[in-house]
């Protein structure tokens, strides 16, 4: 009998770290023009790998909240853009809370993993029926050893540019990562949820499994 496990909905650690740094800017703990910790210090402060810290800084740099210069560290660049990012992050967090409450309700009824699989299959099979009501019902594809993109990030392989499909979630084991962002990587056994038109299903399959 399959062990009953809890599905956890969470955001990538680097996004949480980026939001925490942005919050400190909004709270004026970090001021525009001020230099903050180097990546190695951030990694130690948050108890994460240097790669995770690098991704957090990359998110802030992409949003023009900070400016990272090799050899000169990380400098605070914009209070306004930090405030905008924090506002958006909090909105997403409230959505996550609703999702967690929904998952808890499902857990009280039956085995979490069975329900997740059944619900996903039902959503995919009813795509056409729901399209008039909600065009954002996701498709799914599993990442296996035949794809050349294992351990590569969504942004590096230009997933959207090659498929015209937008990834909205990645299920990794018992974890469901919502809105993973361009720095998330594909790992063997992942289930990728994406949205797009009907043609994108074939494009995604051909892109991930070109042979």
């Amino acid at each position: 009998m399959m062990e009953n496990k809890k599905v956890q909905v969470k955001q990538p650690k680097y996004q949480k770290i980026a939001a925490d740094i942005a919050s400190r800017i909004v709270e004026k703990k970090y001021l525009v023009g001020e230099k903050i910790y180097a990546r190695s210090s951030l990694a130690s402060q948050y108890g994460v790998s240097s790669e995770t810290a690098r991704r957090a800084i990359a998110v802030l740099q992409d949003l023009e909240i900070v400016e990272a210069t090799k050899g000169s560290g990380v400098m605070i660049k914009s209070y306004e853009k930090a405030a905008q990012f924090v506002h958006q992050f909090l909105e997403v967090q409230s959505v996550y809370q609703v999702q967690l409450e929904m998952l808890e309700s499902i857990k009280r009824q039956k085995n979490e993993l069975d329900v997740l699989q059944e619900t996903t299959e039902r959503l995919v099979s009813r795509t056409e029926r729901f399209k008039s009501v909600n065009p954002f019902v996701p498709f799914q594809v599993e990442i296996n050893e035949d794809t050349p993109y294992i351990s590569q990030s969504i942004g590096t392989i230009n997933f959207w540019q090659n498929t015209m499909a937008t990834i909205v979630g990645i299920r990794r084991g018992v974890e469901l990562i919502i809105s993973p962002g361009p720095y998330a990587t594909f790992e063997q056994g992942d289930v990728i949820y994406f949205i797009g038109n009907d043609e994108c299903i074939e494009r995604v399959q051909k892109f991930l499994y070109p042979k």
Side-chain angles (χ1 to χ4, degrees), residues 176-193:
L176 180 62
I177 303 173
I178 301 297
S179 186
Y183 301 102
T185 57
F186 290 158
E187 303 298 339
Q188 186 171 339
D190 285 355
V191 175
I192 309 302
Y193 299 95

Side-chain angles (χ1 to χ4, degrees), residues 105-131:
S105 176
I106 294 173
K107 179 184 175 182
R108 289 192 294 268
Q109 297 175 45
K110 60 183 298 188
N111 183 280
E112 288 273 355
L113 294 180
D114 288 343
V115 171
L116 179 60
Q117 181 177 358
E118 178 186 344
T119 302
T120 302
E121 291 173 353
R122 187 166 64 249
L123 283 173
V124 173
S125 67
R126 296 182 181 179
T127 296
E128 291 300 325
R129 175 182 171 187
F130 283 100
K131 202 168 273 187

Side-chain angles (χ1 to χ4, degrees), residues 98-165:
V98 173
Q99 293 170 332
L100 285 173
E101 292 172 1
M102 292 174 64
L103 289 174
E104 285 297 324
S105 176
I106 294 173
K107 179 184 175 182
R108 289 192 294 268
Q109 297 175 45
K110 60 183 298 188
N111 183 280
E112 288 273 355
L113 294 180
D114 288 343
V115 171
L116 179 60
Q117 181 177 358
E118 178 186 344
T119 302
T120 302
E121 291 173 353
R122 187 166 64 249
L123 283 173
V124 173
S125 67
R126 296 182 181 179
T127 296
E128 291 300 325
R129 175 182 171 187
F130 283 100
K131 202 168 273 187
S132 60
V133 178
N134 181 4
F136 300 110
V137 177
F139 304 108
Q140 72 176 79
V141 64
E142 183 173 359
I143 300 298
N144 62 44
E145 60 187 7
D146 295 326
T147 182
Y149 303 118
I150 289 177
S151 297
Q152 296 191 46
S153 70
I154 295 171
T156 299
I157 66 175
N158 293 322
F159 184 89
W160 182 86
Q161 292 87 337
N162 283 292
T163 66
M164 299 300 288

Side-chain angles (χ1 to χ4, degrees), residues 11 15 19 22 59 63 65 80-96:
Q11 288 176 292
Q15 287 188 359
V59 169
L63 295 173
I65 296 172
E80 291 76 12
K81 291 183 178 180
Q84 183 180 4
F85 175 51
V86 170
H87 178 71
Q88 292 172 342
F89 184 84
L90 291 175
E91 286 184 343
V92 171
Q93 286 289 85
S94 66
V95 173
Y96 287 173

